[in-house]
Amino acid sequence: MRLRIQPASRLSGAISVPGDKSISHRTLLLAALADGISNLQGWLPAADCEATLRCVRALGVQVERPARDHLVVHGSGLKGLQPASEPLDCGGSGTTMRLLMGILAGFPFPSMLVGNPQLSRRPMERVAQPLRRMGAEVFTTEGHAPVRVRGGSLRGIQYELPVASAQVKSAILLAGLYADRPTTVIEPVPSRDHTERLLGAMGATVQREGNSITIEPAEQLRSLSLTIPGDPSSAAFLVAAALLIPGAQVQIPGVLLNPTRLGWVEAWQAMGAPIQVISEAEVGGEPVGLLTTAAAARLQAIEIAGAIVPRMIDEFPIFAVVATQAEGVTQVRDAAELRVKESDRIAALAMELRRMGAQIEEHPDGFTVYGPTPLRGAVVHSHEDHRLAMALAIAGLIAQGETIVEDAACIADSFPGFVEAMQALGAEIEPVS
Ligand code: S3P
């Protein structure tokens, strides 16, 4: 599928975004391990989360689906997963594979985890190593998927993460549920903390002290009933579009407002964006509320490095698009992790945004954008990376002339309904074959 985008002269409205991807994965995995029935409303029906659902069912957990975004999970208890009869297919989802590796390290039967070619290029030793130290047998294929895990009696360990990664942290904490003593993970800087919050809400003992998180072995988890809040990483695309189109205005209610996910809001506010964050409720231990913005009168370049990087790790593609319209030199450092996401996001971003006239330089651990630069419509490629596809589509709204984003079906990996949401706000975006 390709997307055709026309320059936008207006954009306005109130619109919600689908459920948070990270929380959709985690609530399903944890509900599968809980005692009793969990009700997950607002669950994200995106390709990545469907992979988690497939795997959970393959491990013997009964899941009913009264609606596309509503799951009723019959928890099997912490020890109740059954061996799958076939390899567990994680599709393109890194979160599925890495979190499952942690859980399956707690089970004495062997499991095989496989992924599509894109996922099979991403690093898995970063999860395998700490799990081996806990006593699990883990084989990777030269550091990648397919991965084989056989666990059993695990030792609690203290582990210092070499890179800030919520997926690796979560895998170790989940394995820690099955260990013989407390497990501590030390992160270089804080990453998203949904696993910790949810485990706490389900009755596990998880404590944070500075950058160390300690989990105690658990006997059982309580079931969950919640409405999953909107994904701030999806909201970022709508906010960016509103910032860049003169006279625009958007309101996005019901968004997850966890500070470990809002680095991009702080960055854009510091650049001069009139974004407002209004916290309204708490759901499953997470703050939820309204995001609003109008167009930015003027955006100033910014330097991004250090602790803010993991708090906006998924937003760098759209951040780069916004940076093309800021005055001055925007620099991103300490973000080498971008090279091992769904695509090498540093190389892919630089290549595709240059086709549209952006001045962007690539560095080993980040990029530099010189702005403001008028963008021109072009034929650009998603690199089969959903966040790159959506960032390029937003770039198309402010470009001169028509833009085509090739291979845009991957948008459904995280934001089904992106095209419809943009159309509802008044943008001219349409799929073409
Ligand atoms: C995620 C963590 C991040 C993020 C990914 C989702 C999660 O990856 O990029 O989209 O749900 O834990 P890393 O933990 O590898 O940085």
Side-chain angles (χ1 to χ4, degrees), residues 186-211:
I186 303 157
E187 38 184 9
V189 290
S191 61
R192 66 191 68 192
D193 60 357
H194 312 304
T195 305
E196 297 92 299
R197 287 177 188 243
L198 272 171
L199 281 168
M202 296 172 80
T205 307
V206 191
Q207 262 150 359
R208 172 180 278 273
E209 250 184 65
N211 287 349

Side-chain angles (χ1 to χ4, degrees), residues 20-23 25-26 48 94-96 98-99 122 126 163-170 191-192 194-195 233 261 310 312-315 337-338 340-342 345 386-387:
D20 186 73
K21 180 150 86 80
S22 292
I23 295 184
H25 284 298
R26 285 162 171 78
D48 278 10
T95 310
T96 307
R98 294 185 176 128
L99 270 55
R122 298 177 66 186
R126 49 175 60 189
V163 288
S165 162
Q167 293 180 356
V168 182
K169 170 178 66 175
S170 298
S191 61
R192 66 191 68 192
H194 312 304
T195 305
S233 298
R261 297 287 298 283
M312 56 184 289
I313 192 68
D314 290 335
E315 284 66 64
E337 275 295 295
L338 293 176
V340 291
K341 295 293 176 191
E342 283 80 334
R345 282 190 178 153
H386 50 121
R387 301 202 199 277

Side-chain angles (χ1 to χ4, degrees), residues 23-44:
I23 295 184
S24 294
H25 284 298
R26 285 162 171 78
T27 47
L28 174 53
L29 290 168
L30 289 174
L33 299 175
D35 282 345
I37 294 180
S38 292
N39 246 288
L40 311 178
Q41 312 238 30
W43 188 80
L44 176 67

Side-chain angles (χ1 to χ4, degrees), residues 358-370:
Q359 291 185 39
I360 174 166
E361 273 167 15
E362 208 186 305
H363 308 298
D365 69 341
F367 54 86
T368 301
V369 180
Y370 300 86

Side-chain angles (χ1 to χ4, degrees), residues 215-260:
I215 184 157
E216 312 251 340
E219 286 302 316
Q220 60 179 58
L221 295 176
R222 285 195 292 271
S223 59
L224 274 174
S225 277
L226 83 167
T227 300
I228 294 164
D231 195 328
S233 298
S234 298
F237 296 103
L238 312 187
V239 170
L243 288 178
L244 300 178
I245 296 168
Q249 206 147 32
V250 296
Q251 297 91 41
I252 313 167
V255 182
L256 171 72
L257 299 178
N258 181 319
T260 64

